[in-house]
Amino acid sequence: MSWSIHGNGKTITEGEVVAPDERLHWPQTVSIGAQHILAMFGATILVPTLTGFPVTTTLLFTGLATIIFLLMTRNKVPSYLGSSFALIAPVVATTGSHSMSGALGGIVMTGVLLFIVGLIVQKTGTGWIHTLMPPVVMGTIVALIGLNLASATLAPMKDFPLTTFLTVIFTVVATVAFKGLLGRLSILVGLVCGYLVALAQGQVDFSKVGDAAWFGLPEFHTPTFHFDTALMFLPAVFVLIAENIGHVRTVGVMTGRDLSAFNGRALMADGAASVLAGFGGGSATTTYAENIGVMAASRVYSTAAYWIAAIVAMSLAFLPKFGALIGTIPVGVIGGLGIVLYGMIGIVGARLWIEAKVDFGNPINLMTAGTGLIIAIAVTSEIAFGQFQLGGIALGSIATLVVFHLMSAVAKLRGNDLADAHKSAKI
């Protein structure tokens, strides 16, 4: 919990970076912390807005999650833990069948499983993850989560087309029109601009803002547990694993340090944070690429800046009027941001295939990806299997795993060279 001062504490020498265990003087560190708040803010508040969770509660638990992460990784891995998009679909589906408390139970189960995976990784490394989920499987599961969510954007496109599509345009243009921090805040820019469009059309209701208090406790909820929800949340664990390991590796490369020893701790921290959030009414958490972008631009990797960001986020949680203001975001704006974000999730899966050089000339890879994606896209409501109710994400993920490992096993037994489908870069 101590940092050495980098250089003169005010400037960064060309070619150098501020390491995780270093910091600039506190005024400069607070400034970087403010940039991290802005970077995570748009996506973090969008998740509870999409799922119906209280925004201020989610902010509180993202701040706590970041502190848990920093402590469990011994203050060596700089990262902000914001709201996870991987759990939006199972949360929405479970809320419909078992209310918000049932969805919180799913978040707790996800966190427990992720924590257990972290324990195993800390002892054995990540090799077994690659065996279970090679790049073609991991990429397919990530992609199908985004594509399954696509149907949620149809109603806003029909009911509020102008607001929805202008929000999309503002978001994508902001990504390329602005440089530096503002370019990385395209979600926030799209949200603000879309909000102004909706406001001009009378689509914003401020009645709850006036009724809300300035100061007060966030809204807490407790979980309930239902066995039939477990399979809906399981695929999200795979995504959280990929995000955590990928982000730790990226930060290690950027800082010139080998952080692989912290893979298990990072997973355990994220799992513990999600369990805590589930027991209190917050969204599940994950490491945020947006904040890695801030570090790359500023060359400041100091964990001190993340402590600042976490404390400020937790402070915002005790402003009910702020939460009520976030609650006024119109449906059309949410739909427009959803189009961009869900599409990005889908394409991230494709990026995993490309980076790992997955060979789609091999029918094992081709059928694995095609089967999982089509099932996830087609199944927009739950299908009953006896006492179980499975949605598109759960079914698509199960199909992806079964098809890959079944085809690989049969090909290996037959001595077919197609069994080498798994031989590609590790996650």
Side-chain angles (χ1 to χ4, degrees):
M1 292 301 299
S2 62
W3 301 270
S4 60
I5 301 297
H6 177 86
N8 61 10
K10 296 181 179 180
T11 58
I12 306 172
T13 305
E14 185 67 30
E16 294 185 356
V17 299
V18 179
D21 55 358
E22 297 178 326
R23 66 171 174 85
L24 300 174
H25 289 321
W26 283 116
Q28 287 85 349
T29 299
V30 170
S31 174
I32 298 296
Q35 292 183 51
H36 283 302
I37 295 168
L38 288 173
M40 69 83 182
F41 189 77
T44 291
I45 67 168
L46 186 58
V47 173
T49 302
L50 290 168
T51 58
F53 279 28
V55 172
T56 52
T57 309
T58 290
L59 281 173
L60 173 65
F61 283 107
T62 63
L64 288 171
T66 301
I67 290 175
I68 290 172
F69 185 91
L70 293 172
L71 291 175
M72 291 189 69
T73 57
R74 298 178 179 176
N75 227 22
K76 301 294 186 183
V77 184
S79 185
Y80 193 92
L81 267 63
S83 305
S84 171
F85 281 88
L87 276 79
I88 291 176
V91 164
V92 171
T94 306
T95 300
S97 57
H98 294 296
S99 75
M100 179 180 173
S101 63
L104 291 172
I107 291 173
V108 171
M109 289 187 282
T110 300
V112 170
L113 183 55
L114 186 61
F115 186 89
I116 293 172
V117 170
L119 282 174
I120 298 172
V121 168
Q122 192 66 22
K123 296 292 184 181
T124 66
T126 59
W128 65 275
I129 296 177
H130 173 67
T131 300
L132 176 64
M133 297 176 293
V136 65
V137 172
M138 181 64 76
T140 301
I141 291 175
V142 173
L144 66 82
I145 287 177
L147 297 177
N148 177 264
L149 289 166
S151 60
T153 64
L154 180 59
M157 284 190 280
K158 286 183 174 180
D159 298 337
F160 306 100
L162 182 62
T163 301
T164 301
F165 290 114
L166 282 179
T167 299
V168 172
I169 291 172
F170 289 134
T171 304
V172 298
V173 170
T175 305
V176 293
F178 301 115
K179 296 182 179 180
L181 179 63
L182 198 58
R184 288 188 297 276
L185 298 181
S186 57
I187 293 174
L188 191 58
V189 172
L191 190 155
V192 172
C193 293
Y195 192 98
L196 293 175
V197 171
L199 185 64
Q201 299 176 79
Q203 297 171 0
V204 183
D205 180 9
F206 290 106
S207 59
K208 292 185 179 180
V209 178
D211 297 335
W214 279 103
F215 301 100
L217 291 173
E219 183 182 345
F220 294 109
H221 296 270
T222 54
T224 58
F225 299 94
H226 307 274
F227 187 68
D228 63 331
T229 66
L231 287 177
M232 286 194 288
F233 283 84
L234 177 62
V237 176
F238 300 149
V239 180
L240 297 177
I241 292 171
E243 287 178 338
N244 269 271
I245 293 175
H247 288 171
V248 171
R249 182 177 61 187
T250 300
V251 172
V253 170
M254 295 166 79
T255 57
R257 298 185 176 190
D258 182 8
L259 299 177
S260 58
F262 293 97
N263 279 328
R265 288 179 171 272
L267 292 168
M268 285 189 285
D270 197 359
S274 292
V275 169
L276 180 63
F279 274 111
S283 303
T285 59
T286 189
T287 51
Y288 257 29
E290 291 89 336
N291 296 91
I292 292 178
V294 171
M295 291 189 292
S298 64
R299 293 185 291 151
V300 177
Y301 297 87
S302 172
T303 54
Y306 284 100
W307 280 92
I308 299 295
I311 292 169
V312 173
M314 293 167 62
S315 300
L316 291 174
F318 296 92
L319 302 175
K321 196 173 287 292
F322 170 77
L325 180 62
I326 299 300
T328 65
I329 298 174
V331 173
V333 176
I334 295 172
L337 294 174
I339 291 172
V340 176
L341 290 168
Y342 301 157
M344 288 173 61
I345 294 172
I347 298 304
V348 164
R351 189 182 72 186
L352 290 175
W353 295 333
I354 295 170
E355 291 176 348
K357 299 180 180 178
V358 174
D359 178 16
F360 282 107
N362 188 319
I364 294 179
N365 291 331
L366 189 63
M367 292 183 181
T368 293
T371 302
L373 290 175
I374 289 300
I375 291 175
I377 294 170
V379 180
T380 56
S381 60
E382 295 180 349
I383 296 178
F385 292 87
Q387 298 297 318
F388 291 96
Q389 301 283 332
L390 299 180
I393 291 178
L395 281 172
S397 299
I398 292 170
T400 300
L401 287 163
V402 170
V403 169
F404 178 84
H405 289 290
L406 177 62
M407 292 185 72
S408 297
V410 173
K412 187 175 182 179
L413 287 172
R414 296 290 296 171
N416 195 322
D417 59 3
L418 294 178
D420 291 338
H422 68 284
K423 291 184 178 180
S424 49
K426 295 183 179 181
I427 61 172

